[in-house]
Every structure is written in C-alpha cells, then in structure tokens.
mmCIF file of all heavy atoms in Angstrom:
data_model
loop_
_atom_site.group_PDB
_atom_site.id
_atom_site.type_symbol
_atom_site.label_atom_id
_atom_site.label_comp_id
_atom_site.label_asym_id
_atom_site.label_seq_id
_atom_site.Cartn_x
_atom_site.Cartn_y
_atom_site.Cartn_z
ATOM 1 N N SER A 1 0.826 -1.210 0.000
ATOM 2 C CA SER A 1 0.000 0.000 0.000
ATOM 3 C C SER A 1 0.860 1.260 0.000
ATOM 4 O O SER A 1 0.526 2.255 -0.660
ATOM 5 C CB SER A 1 -0.921 -0.002 1.227
ATOM 6 O OG SER A 1 -1.767 -1.131 1.221
ATOM 7 N N MET A 2 1.961 1.249 0.738
ATOM 8 C CA MET A 2 2.875 2.394 0.745
ATOM 9 C C MET A 2 3.450 2.645 -0.639
ATOM 10 O O MET A 2 3.553 3.792 -1.089
ATOM 11 C CB MET A 2 4.013 2.173 1.745
ATOM 12 C CG MET A 2 3.663 2.404 3.192
ATOM 13 S SD MET A 2 5.113 2.283 4.273
ATOM 14 C CE MET A 2 6.039 3.734 3.786
ATOM 15 N N ILE A 3 3.815 1.567 -1.331
ATOM 16 C CA ILE A 3 4.404 1.701 -2.662
ATOM 17 C C ILE A 3 3.379 2.291 -3.640
ATOM 18 O O ILE A 3 3.682 3.204 -4.417
ATOM 19 C CB ILE A 3 4.917 0.336 -3.161
ATOM 20 C CG1 ILE A 3 6.112 -0.107 -2.317
ATOM 21 C CG2 ILE A 3 5.294 0.402 -4.637
ATOM 22 C CD1 ILE A 3 6.591 -1.513 -2.625
ATOM 23 N N VAL A 4 2.158 1.768 -3.595
ATOM 24 C CA VAL A 4 1.105 2.281 -4.478
ATOM 25 C C VAL A 4 0.835 3.760 -4.183
ATOM 26 O O VAL A 4 0.681 4.578 -5.100
ATOM 27 C CB VAL A 4 -0.185 1.456 -4.321
ATOM 28 C CG1 VAL A 4 -1.323 2.095 -5.114
ATOM 29 C CG2 VAL A 4 0.044 0.026 -4.794
ATOM 30 N N ALA A 5 0.782 4.108 -2.898
ATOM 31 C CA ALA A 5 0.563 5.504 -2.521
ATOM 32 C C ALA A 5 1.671 6.397 -3.059
ATOM 33 O O ALA A 5 1.418 7.507 -3.545
ATOM 34 C CB ALA A 5 0.476 5.626 -0.998
ATOM 35 N N ALA A 6 2.917 5.921 -2.973
ATOM 36 C CA ALA A 6 4.043 6.707 -3.477
ATOM 37 C C ALA A 6 3.950 6.894 -4.991
ATOM 38 O O ALA A 6 4.264 7.974 -5.518
ATOM 39 C CB ALA A 6 5.360 6.017 -3.114
ATOM 40 N N VAL A 7 3.502 5.861 -5.697
ATOM 41 C CA VAL A 7 3.326 5.968 -7.151
ATOM 42 C C VAL A 7 2.266 7.011 -7.487
ATOM 43 O O VAL A 7 2.461 7.866 -8.368
ATOM 44 C CB VAL A 7 2.948 4.597 -7.749
ATOM 45 C CG1 VAL A 7 2.547 4.744 -9.217
ATOM 46 C CG2 VAL A 7 4.113 3.621 -7.623
ATOM 47 N N ILE A 8 1.136 6.951 -6.785
ATOM 48 C CA ILE A 8 0.070 7.934 -7.014
ATOM 49 C C ILE A 8 0.574 9.344 -6.755
ATOM 50 O O ILE A 8 0.304 10.280 -7.531
ATOM 51 C CB ILE A 8 -1.142 7.628 -6.117
ATOM 52 C CG1 ILE A 8 -1.779 6.293 -6.516
ATOM 53 C CG2 ILE A 8 -2.181 8.755 -6.211
ATOM 54 C CD1 ILE A 8 -2.898 5.844 -5.591
ATOM 55 N N ARG A 9 1.327 9.509 -5.667
ATOM 56 C CA ARG A 9 1.848 10.846 -5.327
ATOM 57 C C ARG A 9 2.760 11.379 -6.417
ATOM 58 O O ARG A 9 2.663 12.545 -6.829
ATOM 59 C CB ARG A 9 2.586 10.785 -3.994
ATOM 60 C CG ARG A 9 3.395 12.035 -3.655
ATOM 61 C CD ARG A 9 2.507 13.266 -3.472
ATOM 62 N NE ARG A 9 3.296 14.481 -3.378
ATOM 63 C CZ ARG A 9 3.764 14.985 -2.249
ATOM 64 N NH1 ARG A 9 3.538 14.368 -1.105
ATOM 65 N NH2 ARG A 9 4.443 16.110 -2.262
ATOM 66 N N ASN A 10 3.661 10.539 -6.927
ATOM 67 C CA ASN A 10 4.623 11.013 -7.916
ATOM 68 C C ASN A 10 3.973 11.251 -9.272
ATOM 69 O O ASN A 10 4.412 12.126 -10.027
ATOM 70 C CB ASN A 10 5.784 10.029 -8.016
ATOM 71 C CG ASN A 10 6.768 10.181 -6.865
ATOM 72 O OD1 ASN A 10 7.640 11.038 -6.885
ATOM 73 N ND2 ASN A 10 6.608 9.354 -5.841
ATOM 74 N N ILE A 11 2.946 10.475 -9.600
ATOM 75 C CA ILE A 11 2.171 10.778 -10.812
ATOM 76 C C ILE A 11 1.476 12.126 -10.653
ATOM 77 O O ILE A 11 1.458 12.958 -11.561
ATOM 78 C CB ILE A 11 1.138 9.664 -11.081
ATOM 79 C CG1 ILE A 11 1.853 8.363 -11.472
ATOM 80 C CG2 ILE A 11 0.167 10.089 -12.182
ATOM 81 C CD1 ILE A 11 0.913 7.182 -11.620
ATOM 82 N N SER A 12 0.930 12.347 -9.460
ATOM 83 C CA SER A 12 0.247 13.604 -9.184
ATOM 84 C C SER A 12 1.185 14.795 -9.281
ATOM 85 O O SER A 12 0.789 15.879 -9.719
ATOM 86 C CB SER A 12 -0.377 13.555 -7.787
ATOM 87 O OG SER A 12 -0.909 14.807 -7.422
ATOM 88 N N ASP A 13 2.442 14.609 -8.886
ATOM 89 C CA ASP A 13 3.417 15.700 -8.930
ATOM 90 C C ASP A 13 3.674 16.192 -10.354
ATOM 91 O O ASP A 13 4.115 17.324 -10.549
ATOM 92 C CB ASP A 13 4.747 15.253 -8.310
ATOM 93 C CG ASP A 13 4.651 15.136 -6.795
ATOM 94 O OD1 ASP A 13 3.685 15.660 -6.210
ATOM 95 O OD2 ASP A 13 5.552 14.515 -6.189
ATOM 96 N N HIS A 14 3.429 15.321 -11.341
ATOM 97 C CA HIS A 14 3.760 15.683 -12.717
ATOM 98 C C HIS A 14 2.565 15.622 -13.652
ATOM 99 O O HIS A 14 2.722 15.705 -14.871
ATOM 100 C CB HIS A 14 4.856 14.749 -13.244
ATOM 101 C CG HIS A 14 6.136 14.825 -12.457
ATOM 102 N ND1 HIS A 14 6.402 13.990 -11.382
ATOM 103 C CD2 HIS A 14 7.208 15.648 -12.556
ATOM 104 C CE1 HIS A 14 7.576 14.295 -10.873
ATOM 105 N NE2 HIS A 14 8.094 15.295 -11.561
ATOM 106 N N ALA A 15 1.364 15.463 -13.099
ATOM 107 C CA ALA A 15 0.180 15.380 -13.950
ATOM 108 C C ALA A 15 -0.935 16.250 -13.379
ATOM 109 O O ALA A 15 -1.149 16.282 -12.167
ATOM 110 C CB ALA A 15 -0.286 13.924 -14.066
ATOM 111 N N GLU A 16 -1.625 16.921 -14.250
ATOM 112 C CA GLU A 16 -2.758 17.730 -13.834
ATOM 113 C C GLU A 16 -4.006 16.851 -13.731
ATOM 114 O O GLU A 16 -4.139 15.843 -14.410
ATOM 115 C CB GLU A 16 -2.993 18.874 -14.828
ATOM 116 C CG GLU A 16 -1.850 19.878 -14.882
ATOM 117 C CD GLU A 16 -2.156 21.040 -15.811
ATOM 118 O OE1 GLU A 16 -3.282 21.060 -16.366
ATOM 119 O OE2 GLU A 16 -1.283 21.904 -15.987
ATOM 120 N N GLY A 17 -4.916 17.250 -12.890
ATOM 121 C CA GLY A 17 -6.167 16.525 -12.769
ATOM 122 C C GLY A 17 -6.155 15.396 -11.755
ATOM 123 O O GLY A 17 -7.148 14.683 -11.610
ATOM 124 N N LEU A 18 -5.024 15.207 -11.057
ATOM 125 C CA LEU A 18 -4.963 14.178 -10.019
ATOM 126 C C LEU A 18 -4.381 14.793 -8.747
ATOM 127 O O LEU A 18 -3.240 14.534 -8.369
ATOM 128 C CB LEU A 18 -4.111 12.990 -10.475
ATOM 129 C CG LEU A 18 -4.014 11.804 -9.501
ATOM 130 C CD1 LEU A 18 -5.379 11.206 -9.206
ATOM 131 C CD2 LEU A 18 -3.053 10.743 -10.025
ATOM 132 N N PRO A 19 -5.137 15.630 -8.083
ATOM 133 C CA PRO A 19 -4.630 16.278 -6.869
ATOM 134 C C PRO A 19 -4.504 15.299 -5.716
ATOM 135 O O PRO A 19 -5.273 14.339 -5.597
ATOM 136 C CB PRO A 19 -5.684 17.346 -6.572
ATOM 137 C CG PRO A 19 -6.943 16.786 -7.149
ATOM 138 C CD PRO A 19 -6.525 16.036 -8.387
ATOM 139 N N VAL A 20 -3.515 15.537 -4.878
ATOM 140 C CA VAL A 20 -3.320 14.745 -3.661
ATOM 141 C C VAL A 20 -3.361 15.712 -2.482
ATOM 142 O O VAL A 20 -2.379 16.407 -2.211
ATOM 143 C CB VAL A 20 -1.980 13.976 -3.684
ATOM 144 C CG1 VAL A 20 -1.752 13.270 -2.359
ATOM 145 C CG2 VAL A 20 -1.970 12.970 -4.825
ATOM 146 N N PRO A 21 -4.493 15.805 -1.791
ATOM 147 C CA PRO A 21 -4.626 16.756 -0.679
ATOM 148 C C PRO A 21 -3.891 16.270 0.568
ATOM 149 O O PRO A 21 -4.443 15.554 1.409
ATOM 150 C CB PRO A 21 -6.139 16.813 -0.457
ATOM 151 C CG PRO A 21 -6.629 15.466 -0.882
ATOM 152 C CD PRO A 21 -5.729 15.032 -2.013
ATOM 153 N N MET A 22 -2.626 16.675 0.698
ATOM 154 C CA MET A 22 -1.770 16.105 1.730
ATOM 155 C C MET A 22 -2.196 16.454 3.146
ATOM 156 O O MET A 22 -1.976 15.680 4.079
ATOM 157 C CB MET A 22 -0.320 16.551 1.503
ATOM 158 C CG MET A 22 0.366 15.846 0.348
ATOM 159 S SD MET A 22 0.328 14.039 0.478
ATOM 160 C CE MET A 22 1.175 13.775 2.033
ATOM 161 N N GLN A 23 -2.801 17.612 3.344
ATOM 162 C CA GLN A 23 -3.231 17.963 4.692
ATOM 163 C C GLN A 23 -4.316 16.992 5.173
ATOM 164 O O GLN A 23 -4.264 16.491 6.296
ATOM 165 C CB GLN A 23 -3.754 19.392 4.748
ATOM 166 C CG GLN A 23 -4.074 19.860 6.171
ATOM 167 C CD GLN A 23 -4.560 21.304 6.215
ATOM 168 O OE1 GLN A 23 -4.886 21.891 5.195
ATOM 169 N NE2 GLN A 23 -4.606 21.861 7.397
ATOM 170 N N GLU A 24 -5.287 16.713 4.311
ATOM 171 C CA GLU A 24 -6.347 15.786 4.671
ATOM 172 C C GLU A 24 -5.821 14.357 4.790
ATOM 173 O O GLU A 24 -6.242 13.597 5.668
ATOM 174 C CB GLU A 24 -7.483 15.846 3.642
ATOM 175 C CG GLU A 24 -8.328 17.099 3.728
ATOM 176 C CD GLU A 24 -7.696 18.299 3.029
ATOM 177 O OE1 GLU A 24 -6.576 18.172 2.506
ATOM 178 O OE2 GLU A 24 -8.331 19.371 3.002
#
C-alpha cells in the first residue's frame, strides 16, 4: 500500500487533474 501511494503521489506531482490533498 505504501508503494502504491508513493506511485500515485509522484504521478500527481507531474500530472494535472490528479490532486493529492496532503493535509487531509
């Protein structure tokens, strides 16, 4: 799960339309 989360985060860092609300 940590690995998948990290993948989602890094995709979000370089792609529009996939926000990752880190505070929440």
Side-chain angles (χ1 to χ4, degrees):
S1 300
M2 282 186 69
I3 292 173
V4 173
V7 171
I8 294 174
R9 169 64 190 270
N10 282 278
I11 292 174
S12 173
D13 287 345
H14 299 92
E16 295 184 2
L18 183 60
V20 175
M22 285 305 301
Q23 186 178 13
E24 287 81 358

